[in-house]
Amino acid sequence: QNIDAIMINGDFVKHGVALPQNNTSVGDPYEDAWNEIKNIITYNMDMVREYFPDKDILPTIGNNDVIVHDQMPCSMQQH
């Protein structure tokens, strides 16, 4: 294969996993959502690395790959 790098556009995670912007859940839904999102992204990246172990992989983050839908964190204070 004559591939230098693989760029993967965002949205590893389907709609409905990230919390809605008007989230009113009880408990710690942020931690639950983040754990599920990390697991999905990790699974997908592991699969890509399995098939392309020697290639540079350049993933991007989509609006569904964050804790609250459509909201990218601006600082680590939000985590």
Side-chain angles (χ1 to χ4, degrees):
Q1 295 176 350
N2 193 15
I3 299 172
D4 293 325
I6 298 169
M7 184 170 191
I8 304 172
N9 63 330
D11 287 346
F12 290 94
V13 181
K14 67 179 182 171
H15 284 262
V17 176
L19 299 174
Q21 293 179 3
N22 60 351
N23 176 50
T24 58
S25 299
V26 177
D28 194 0
Y30 293 94
E31 184 175 352
D32 293 342
W34 182 233
N35 286 332
E36 186 172 357
I37 290 165
K38 285 191 299 186
N39 288 338
I40 292 168
I41 293 172
T42 298
Y43 173 82
N44 283 289
M45 290 305 300
D46 287 347
M47 187 173 16
V48 173
R49 285 187 194 105
E50 179 181 335
Y51 286 96
F52 302 98
D54 299 325
K55 302 300 177 188
D56 291 327
I57 301 170
L58 309 168
T60 59
I61 300 297
N63 65 324
N64 294 319
D65 301 331
V66 293
I67 297 171
V68 178
H69 190 257
D70 288 332
Q71 294 187 7
M72 299 294 181
C74 297
S75 72
M76 292 305 293
Q77 294 173 347
Q78 295 175 348
H79 299 288

Coordinates of all heavy atoms in Angstrom, one line a residue:
Q1 N 0.8 -1.2 0.0 CA 0.0 0.0 0.0 C 0.9 1.2 0.0 O 1.8 1.3 0.8 CB -0.9 0.0 1.2 CG -1.9 -1.1 1.2 CD -2.7 -1.1 2.5 OE1 -2.4 -0.4 3.5 NE2 -3.7 -2.0 2.6
N2 N 0.5 2.2 -0.8 CA 1.3 3.4 -0.9 C 0.5 4.5 -0.2 O 0.1 5.5 -0.8 CB 1.5 3.7 -2.4 CG 2.5 4.8 -2.6 OD1 3.3 5.1 -1.7 ND2 2.6 5.4 -3.8
I3 N 0.4 4.4 1.1 CA -0.3 5.4 1.9 C 0.7 6.0 2.9 O 1.4 5.3 3.6 CB -1.4 4.7 2.7 CG1 -2.4 4.0 1.8 CG2 -2.1 5.7 3.7 CD1 -3.5 3.2 2.5
D4 N 0.8 7.3 2.9 CA 1.7 8.0 3.8 C 1.0 8.2 5.2 O 1.7 8.1 6.2 CB 2.1 9.3 3.2 CG 3.0 9.2 2.0 OD1 3.8 8.2 1.9 OD2 2.8 10.0 1.1
A5 N -0.2 8.6 5.2 CA -0.9 8.8 6.4 C -2.4 8.6 6.2 O -2.9 8.6 5.1 CB -0.6 10.3 6.9
I6 N -3.1 8.5 7.3 CA -4.6 8.3 7.2 C -5.2 9.4 8.1 O -4.9 9.5 9.3 CB -5.0 6.9 7.8 CG1 -4.4 5.8 6.9 CG2 -6.5 6.8 7.8 CD1 -4.5 4.4 7.5
M7 N -6.0 10.2 7.5 CA -6.8 11.2 8.2 C -8.2 10.8 8.4 O -8.9 10.4 7.4 CB -6.7 12.6 7.4 CG -7.4 13.7 8.2 SD -7.0 15.2 7.4 CE -7.6 16.3 8.6
I8 N -8.6 10.8 9.6 CA -10.0 10.4 9.9 C -10.8 11.6 10.4 O -10.4 12.2 11.4 CB -10.0 9.3 11.0 CG1 -9.1 8.1 10.6 CG2 -11.4 8.8 11.3 CD1 -8.9 7.1 11.7
N9 N -11.9 11.8 9.7 CA -12.7 13.0 10.1 C -13.4 12.6 11.4 O -13.6 11.4 11.7 CB -13.7 13.4 9.0 CG -14.7 12.3 8.7 OD1 -14.4 11.1 8.8 ND2 -15.8 12.7 8.2
G10 N -13.9 13.5 12.1 CA -14.5 13.3 13.4 C -15.8 12.6 13.4 O -16.2 12.1 12.4
D11 N -16.4 12.6 14.5 CA -17.7 11.9 14.8 C -17.5 10.4 14.8 O -18.1 9.6 14.0 CB -18.8 12.3 13.8 CG -19.3 13.7 14.1 OD1 -19.1 14.2 15.2 OD2 -20.0 14.3 13.2
F12 N -16.6 9.9 15.6 CA -16.5 8.5 15.9 C -17.7 8.0 16.6 O -18.1 6.9 16.5 CB -15.3 8.3 16.8 CG -13.9 8.5 16.2 CD1 -13.3 9.7 16.3 CD2 -13.3 7.5 15.5 CE1 -12.0 9.9 15.8 CE2 -12.1 7.6 15.0 CZ -11.4 8.9 15.1
V13 N -18.3 8.9 17.4 CA -19.4 8.6 18.3 C -20.7 9.0 17.6 O -20.9 10.0 17.0 CB -19.3 9.3 19.6 CG1 -20.4 9.0 20.6 CG2 -17.9 9.0 20.3
K14 N -21.7 8.1 17.8 CA -23.0 8.4 17.1 C -23.8 9.4 17.9 O -23.5 9.7 19.1 CB -23.9 7.1 17.1 CG -24.3 6.6 18.5 CD -25.1 5.3 18.4 CE -25.5 4.9 19.8 NZ -26.5 3.9 19.8
H15 N -24.8 10.0 17.3 CA -25.7 10.9 18.0 C -26.3 10.3 19.2 O -26.7 9.1 19.2 CB -26.8 11.4 17.1 CG -26.3 12.4 16.1 ND1 -26.4 13.8 16.2 CD2 -25.6 12.2 14.9 CE1 -25.9 14.4 15.2 NE2 -25.4 13.5 14.4
G16 N -26.5 11.0 20.3 CA -27.2 10.5 21.5 C -26.3 10.1 22.6 O -26.8 9.8 23.7
V17 N -25.0 9.9 22.3 CA -24.1 9.5 23.4 C -23.6 10.8 24.2 O -23.6 10.8 25.4 CB -22.8 8.8 22.9 CG1 -21.9 8.4 24.0 CG2 -23.3 7.5 22.2
A18 N -23.2 11.8 23.5 CA -22.9 13.1 24.1 C -24.1 13.6 24.8 O -25.3 13.4 24.3 CB -22.3 14.1 23.1
L19 N -24.0 14.4 25.8 CA -25.1 14.9 26.5 C -25.7 16.1 25.7 O -24.9 16.8 25.1 CB -24.7 15.4 27.9 CG -24.1 14.4 28.9 CD1 -23.6 15.0 30.1 CD2 -25.2 13.3 29.2
P20 N -27.0 16.3 25.8 CA -27.6 17.4 25.1 C -27.2 18.7 25.8 O -26.8 18.7 27.0 CB -29.1 17.2 25.2 CG -29.3 16.3 26.4 CD -28.0 15.4 26.4
Q21 N -27.2 19.8 25.1 CA -26.8 21.1 25.7 C -27.7 21.5 26.8 O -27.2 22.2 27.7 CB -26.8 22.2 24.6 CG -25.7 21.9 23.5 CD -25.7 23.0 22.5 OE1 -26.5 23.9 22.5 NE2 -24.8 22.8 21.5
N22 N -28.9 21.1 26.9 CA -29.8 21.4 27.9 C -29.9 20.2 28.9 O -31.0 20.0 29.5 CB -31.2 21.8 27.4 CG -31.8 20.6 26.6 OD1 -31.1 19.6 26.3 ND2 -33.0 20.8 26.2
N23 N -28.8 19.6 29.2 CA -28.8 18.4 30.1 C -29.3 18.7 31.5 O -28.9 19.7 32.1 CB -27.4 17.8 30.1 CG -27.3 16.7 31.1 OD1 -28.1 15.7 31.0 ND2 -26.4 16.7 32.0
T24 N -30.3 17.9 32.0 CA -30.8 18.1 33.3 C -30.7 16.7 34.1 O -31.5 16.5 35.0 CB -32.3 18.5 33.3 OG1 -33.0 17.6 32.5 CG2 -32.4 19.9 32.6
S25 N -29.8 15.9 33.7 CA -29.7 14.6 34.3 C -29.2 14.7 35.8 O -28.6 15.6 36.2 CB -28.6 13.7 33.6 OG -29.0 13.5 32.3
V26 N -29.6 13.7 36.6 CA -29.3 13.6 38.0 C -28.0 12.7 38.1 O -27.8 11.8 37.3 CB -30.4 13.0 38.8 CG1 -30.0 12.9 40.2 CG2 -31.7 13.9 38.6
G27 N -27.2 13.0 39.1 CA -26.0 12.2 39.3 C -24.8 12.8 38.5 O -24.7 14.0 38.4
D28 N -23.9 11.9 38.0 CA -22.7 12.4 37.3 C -22.8 11.9 35.9 O -22.0 11.1 35.5 CB -21.4 12.0 38.0 CG -20.2 12.7 37.5 OD1 -20.4 13.6 36.6 OD2 -19.1 12.4 38.0
P29 N -23.7 12.5 35.1 CA -23.8 12.1 33.7 C -22.6 12.4 32.9 O -22.3 11.8 31.9 CB -25.0 12.8 33.2 CG -25.1 14.0 34.0 CD -24.6 13.6 35.4
Y30 N -21.8 13.5 33.3 CA -20.7 13.9 32.5 C -19.6 12.8 32.5 O -19.0 12.4 31.5 CB -20.1 15.2 33.1 CG -21.0 16.3 32.9 CD1 -21.9 16.7 33.9 CD2 -21.0 17.0 31.7 CE1 -22.8 17.8 33.7 CE2 -21.8 18.1 31.5 CZ -22.7 18.5 32.5 OH -23.6 19.5 32.3
E31 N -19.4 12.2 33.7 CA -18.4 11.1 33.8 C -18.8 9.9 33.0 O -18.0 9.3 32.3 CB -18.1 10.7 35.2 CG -17.0 9.7 35.4 CD -16.7 9.4 36.8 OE1 -17.1 10.1 37.7 OE2 -15.9 8.4 37.0
D32 N -20.1 9.5 33.1 CA -20.6 8.4 32.3 C -20.5 8.6 30.8 O -20.1 7.7 30.1 CB -22.1 8.1 32.7 CG -22.2 7.7 34.1 OD1 -21.2 7.2 34.7 OD2 -23.4 7.8 34.7
A33 N -20.9 9.8 30.4 CA -20.8 10.1 28.9 C -19.3 10.1 28.5 O -19.0 9.5 27.4 CB -21.4 11.5 28.6
W34 N -18.5 10.7 29.2 CA -17.1 10.8 28.9 C -16.4 9.4 28.8 O -15.7 9.1 27.9 CB -16.3 11.7 29.8 CG -14.8 11.8 29.4 CD1 -13.8 11.6 30.3 CD2 -14.3 12.2 28.2 NE1 -12.6 11.9 29.6 CE2 -12.9 12.2 28.3 CE3 -14.8 12.5 27.0 CZ2 -12.0 12.5 27.3 CZ3 -14.0 12.9 25.9 CH2 -12.6 12.9 26.1
N35 N -16.8 8.5 29.7 CA -16.2 7.1 29.7 C -16.7 6.4 28.5 O -15.9 5.7 27.8 CB -16.6 6.4 31.0 CG -15.8 6.9 32.2 OD1 -14.7 7.3 32.0 ND2 -16.4 6.7 33.4
E36 N -18.0 6.5 28.1 CA -18.5 5.9 26.9 C -17.8 6.4 25.7 O -17.5 5.7 24.8 CB -20.0 6.0 26.9 CG -20.6 5.2 25.7 CD -22.1 5.1 25.8 OE1 -22.7 5.7 26.7 OE2 -22.7 4.5 24.8
I37 N -17.7 7.7 25.6 CA -17.1 8.3 24.4 C -15.6 7.9 24.3 O -15.2 7.5 23.2 CB -17.2 9.9 24.5 CG1 -18.6 10.3 24.4 CG2 -16.3 10.6 23.5 CD1 -18.9 11.7 24.8
K38 N -14.9 7.9 25.4 CA -13.5 7.4 25.3 C -13.4 6.0 24.9 O -12.5 5.6 24.1 CB -12.8 7.6 26.7 CG -12.4 9.0 27.0 CD -11.6 9.1 28.3 CE -12.2 8.5 29.5 NZ -11.4 8.7 30.7
N39 N -14.3 5.1 25.4 CA -14.3 3.7 25.0 C -14.6 3.6 23.5 O -13.9 2.7 22.8 CB -15.3 2.9 25.8 CG -14.9 2.7 27.2 OD1 -13.7 2.8 27.5 ND2 -15.8 2.5 28.1
I40 N -15.5 4.3 22.9 CA -15.8 4.2 21.5 C -14.7 4.7 20.7 O -14.3 4.0 19.7 CB -17.1 5.0 21.2 CG1 -18.3 4.4 21.9 CG2 -17.3 5.2 19.7 CD1 -19.6 5.2 21.9
I41 N -14.1 5.8 21.0 CA -13.0 6.4 20.2 C -11.8 5.4 20.3 O -11.1 5.1 19.3 CB -12.6 7.8 20.7 CG1 -13.7 8.8 20.4 CG2 -11.3 8.2 20.1 CD1 -13.6 10.1 20.9
T42 N -11.5 4.9 21.5 CA -10.4 3.9 21.7 C -10.6 2.7 20.8 O -9.7 2.2 20.1 CB -10.2 3.6 23.2 OG1 -9.9 4.7 23.9 CG2 -9.1 2.5 23.3
Y43 N -11.8 2.1 20.8 CA -12.1 1.0 20.0 C -11.9 1.2 18.6 O -11.2 0.4 17.9 CB -13.6 0.5 20.3 CG -14.0 -0.6 19.4 CD1 -13.7 -1.9 19.7 CD2 -14.7 -0.3 18.2 CE1 -14.1 -2.9 18.9 CE2 -15.1 -1.4 17.4 CZ -14.8 -2.7 17.7 OH -15.2 -3.7 16.9
N44 N -12.4 2.3 18.1 CA -12.2 2.7 16.7 C -10.7 2.9 16.3 O -10.3 2.4 15.2 CB -13.0 3.9 16.3 CG -14.5 3.6 16.1 OD1 -14.9 2.9 15.2 ND2 -15.3 4.0 17.1
M45 N -10.0 3.6 17.1 CA -8.6 3.8 16.8 C -7.8 2.6 16.9 O -6.9 2.3 16.1 CB -8.0 4.9 17.8 CG -8.5 6.3 17.5 SD -8.3 6.9 15.8 CE -6.5 6.8 15.7
D46 N -8.1 1.7 17.8 CA -7.4 0.4 17.9 C -7.6 -0.4 16.6 O -6.7 -1.1 16.1 CB -7.9 -0.4 19.1 CG -7.3 0.1 20.4 OD1 -6.4 1.0 20.4 OD2 -7.9 -0.3 21.5
M47 N -8.8 -0.4 16.1 CA -9.1 -1.1 14.9 C -8.3 -0.5 13.7 O -7.8 -1.3 12.9 CB -10.6 -1.1 14.6 CG -11.0 -2.0 13.4 SD -12.8 -2.1 13.1 CE -13.6 -0.8 14.0
V48 N -8.3 0.8 13.6 CA -7.5 1.4 12.5 C -6.0 1.0 12.6 O -5.4 0.6 11.7 CB -7.7 2.9 12.5 CG1 -6.8 3.6 11.5 CG2 -9.2 3.2 12.2
R49 N -5.5 1.1 13.9 CA -4.1 0.7 14.1 C -3.8 -0.7 13.8 O -2.7 -1.1 13.3 CB -3.7 1.0 15.5 CG -3.5 2.5 15.8 CD -3.0 2.7 17.2 NE -3.1 4.1 17.6 CZ -4.0 4.5 18.5 NH1 -4.8 3.7 19.1 NH2 -4.0 5.8 18.8
E50 N -4.8 -1.6 14.0 CA -4.6 -3.0 13.7 C -4.4 -3.2 12.2 O -3.6 -4.0 11.8 CB -5.8 -3.8 14.2 CG -5.7 -5.3 13.9 CD -7.0 -6.0 14.4 OE1 -7.6 -5.6 15.3 OE2 -7.2 -7.1 13.9
Y51 N -5.2 -2.5 11.4 CA -5.1 -2.7 9.9 C -4.0 -1.9 9.3 O -3.5 -2.2 8.2 CB -6.5 -2.4 9.3 CG -7.5 -3.5 9.6 CD1 -8.4 -3.4 10.6 CD2 -7.5 -4.6 8.8 CE1 -9.3 -4.4 10.9 CE2 -8.4 -5.6 9.0 CZ -9.3 -5.5 10.1 OH -10.2 -6.5 10.3
F52 N -3.6 -0.8 10.0 CA -2.5 0.1 9.4 C -1.5 0.4 10.5 O -1.3 1.5 10.9 CB -3.2 1.4 8.9 CG -4.2 1.2 7.8 CD1 -5.6 1.2 8.1 CD2 -3.8 1.0 6.5 CE1 -6.5 1.0 7.2 CE2 -4.8 0.8 5.5 CZ -6.1 0.8 5.9
P53 N -0.8 -0.7 10.9 CA 0.1 -0.5 12.1 C 1.3 0.4 11.9 O 1.8 1.0 12.8 CB 0.6 -1.9 12.4 CG 0.5 -2.6 11.1 CD -0.7 -2.0 10.4
D54 N 1.7 0.6 10.6 CA 2.9 1.4 10.3 C 2.6 2.7 9.7 O 3.5 3.4 9.2 CB 3.9 0.6 9.4 CG 4.3 -0.7 10.1 OD1 4.5 -0.7 11.3 OD2 4.5 -1.7 9.4
K55 N 1.4 3.2 9.8 CA 1.0 4.4 9.1 C 0.7 5.5 10.2 O 0.3 5.2 11.3 CB -0.3 4.2 8.3 CG -0.1 3.2 7.2 CD 1.0 3.5 6.2 CE 1.2 2.4 5.2 NZ 2.3 2.7 4.3
D56 N 1.0 6.7 9.8 CA 0.6 7.8 10.7 C -0.9 8.0 10.6 O -1.5 8.0 9.5 CB 1.3 9.1 10.2 CG 2.7 9.1 10.5 OD1 3.2 8.5 11.5 OD2 3.5 9.7 9.7
I57 N -1.6 8.1 11.7 CA -3.0 8.3 11.8 C -3.3 9.6 12.4 O -2.8 10.0 13.5 CB -3.7 7.2 12.6 CG1 -3.3 5.8 12.0 CG2 -5.2 7.3 12.7 CD1 -3.7 4.6 12.9
L58 N -4.1 10.4 11.7 CA -4.4 11.8 12.1 C -5.9 11.9 12.3 O -6.7 12.3 11.5 CB -4.0 12.8 11.0 CG -2.5 12.6 10.5 CD1 -2.3 13.4 9.2 CD2 -1.6 13.0 11.6
P59 N -6.4 11.6 13.5 CA -7.8 11.7 13.8 C -8.2 13.2 14.2 O -7.4 13.9 14.7 CB -8.0 10.8 15.0 CG -6.7 10.8 15.7 CD -5.7 11.0 14.6
T60 N -9.4 13.5 13.9 CA -9.9 14.8 14.3 C -11.1 14.6 15.2 O -11.8 13.5 15.1 CB -10.3 15.7 13.1 OG1 -11.3 15.0 12.3 CG2 -9.1 16.0 12.2
I61 N -11.5 15.6 16.0 CA -12.6 15.5 16.9 C -13.8 16.1 16.2 O -13.8 17.2 15.7 CB -12.3 16.2 18.2 CG1 -11.1 15.6 18.9 CG2 -13.5 16.2 19.1 CD1 -11.2 14.1 19.3
G62 N -14.9 15.4 16.3 CA -16.2 15.9 15.8 C -17.1 16.4 16.9 O -16.8 16.2 18.0
N63 N -18.2 17.0 16.5 CA -19.1 17.6 17.5 C -19.8 16.5 18.3 O -20.5 16.8 19.3 CB -20.2 18.5 16.8 CG -21.1 17.7 15.8 OD1 -20.7 16.8 15.2 ND2 -22.3 18.1 15.8
N64 N -19.8 15.2 17.9 CA -20.4 14.1 18.7 C -19.3 13.5 19.6 O -19.7 12.6 20.4 CB -21.0 13.1 17.8 CG -22.1 13.6 17.0 OD1 -23.0 14.3 17.5 ND2 -22.2 13.2 15.8
D65 N -18.1 13.9 19.5 CA -17.0 13.2 20.2 C -16.6 13.9 21.5 O -15.5 13.8 22.0 CB -15.7 13.1 19.3 CG -16.0 12.3 18.1 OD1 -16.9 11.4 18.1 OD2 -15.3 12.6 17.1
V66 N -17.5 14.7 22.0 CA -17.3 15.5 23.2 C -18.4 15.2 24.2 O -19.4 14.6 23.9 CB -17.3 17.0 22.9 CG1 -16.1 17.4 22.0 CG2 -18.5 17.4 22.1
I67 N -18.2 15.7 25.5 CA -19.1 15.3 26.5 C -20.5 16.0 26.3 O -21.5 15.3 26.4 CB -18.6 15.8 27.9 CG1 -17.3 15.0 28.2 CG2 -19.6 15.5 29.0 CD1 -16.5 15.5 29.4
V68 N -20.5 17.2 26.0 CA -21.8 17.9 25.7 C -21.8 18.2 24.2 O -20.9 18.8 23.6 CB -21.9 19.2 26.5 CG1 -23.2 20.0 26.1 CG2 -21.9 19.0 28.0
H69 N -22.8 17.7 23.5 CA -22.9 17.8 22.1 C -22.7 19.2 21.6 O -23.2 20.2 22.1 CB -24.3 17.4 21.7 CG -24.5 17.2 20.2 ND1 -25.1 18.1 19.4 CD2 -24.0 16.2 19.4 CE1 -25.1 17.7 18.1 NE2 -24.4 16.5 18.1
D70 N -21.8 19.4 20.6 CA -21.5 20.6 19.9 C -20.7 21.6 20.8 O -20.6 22.7 20.4 CB -22.8 21.4 19.4 CG -23.4 20.7 18.2 OD1 -22.7 20.0 17.5 OD2 -24.7 20.8 18.1
Q71 N -20.2 21.2 21.9 CA -19.4 22.1 22.7 C -18.0 21.5 23.0 O -17.8 20.6 23.7 CB -20.1 22.3 24.1 CG -21.4 23.0 23.9 CD -22.0 23.4 25.2 OE1 -21.4 23.3 26.3 NE2 -23.2 23.9 25.2
M72 N -17.0 22.2 22.4 CA -15.6 21.8 22.5 C -15.1 22.4 23.8 O -15.3 23.6 24.0 CB -14.8 22.2 21.4 CG -15.2 21.6 20.1 SD -14.9 19.8 20.1 CE -15.5 19.4 18.4
P73 N -14.4 21.6 24.7 CA -13.9 22.2 25.9 C -12.8 23.2 25.6 O -12.0 23.0 24.6 CB -13.3 21.1 26.7 CG -13.4 19.9 25.8 CD -14.2 20.2 24.6
C74 N -12.7 24.3 26.3 CA -11.7 25.4 26.1 C -10.5 25.3 27.0 O -9.5 25.8 26.8 CB -12.3 26.7 26.2 SG -13.6 27.0 25.0
S75 N -10.7 24.6 28.2 CA -9.7 24.4 29.1 C -9.8 23.1 29.9 O -10.9 22.5 29.9 CB -9.6 25.6 30.1 OG -10.7 25.5 31.0
M76 N -8.8 22.7 30.6 CA -8.9 21.5 31.4 C -9.7 21.7 32.6 O -10.1 20.7 33.3 CB -7.5 21.0 31.7 CG -6.7 20.5 30.5 SD -7.5 19.3 29.6 CE -7.5 17.9 30.7
Q77 N -10.1 22.9 33.0 CA -10.9 23.1 34.2 C -12.3 22.5 34.0 O -13.0 22.3 35.0 CB -11.0 24.6 34.4 CG -9.7 25.3 34.8 CD -9.8 26.8 34.9 OE1 -10.8 27.4 34.5 NE2 -8.8 27.4 35.5
Q78 N -12.7 22.3 32.8 CA -14.0 21.7 32.5 C -14.1 20.2 32.8 O -15.1 19.6 32.7 CB -14.5 22.0 31.1 CG -14.7 23.5 30.9 CD -15.0 23.9 29.5 OE1 -14.9 23.0 28.6 NE2 -15.4 25.1 29.2
H79 N -12.9 19.6 33.0 CA -12.9 18.1 33.2 C -12.6 17.8 34.6 O -11.7 17.9 35.2 CB -11.9 17.5 32.3 CG -12.2 17.8 30.8 ND1 -13.2 17.2 30.2 CD2 -11.6 18.6 29.9 CE1 -13.3 17.6 29.0 NE2 -12.3 18.5 28.8

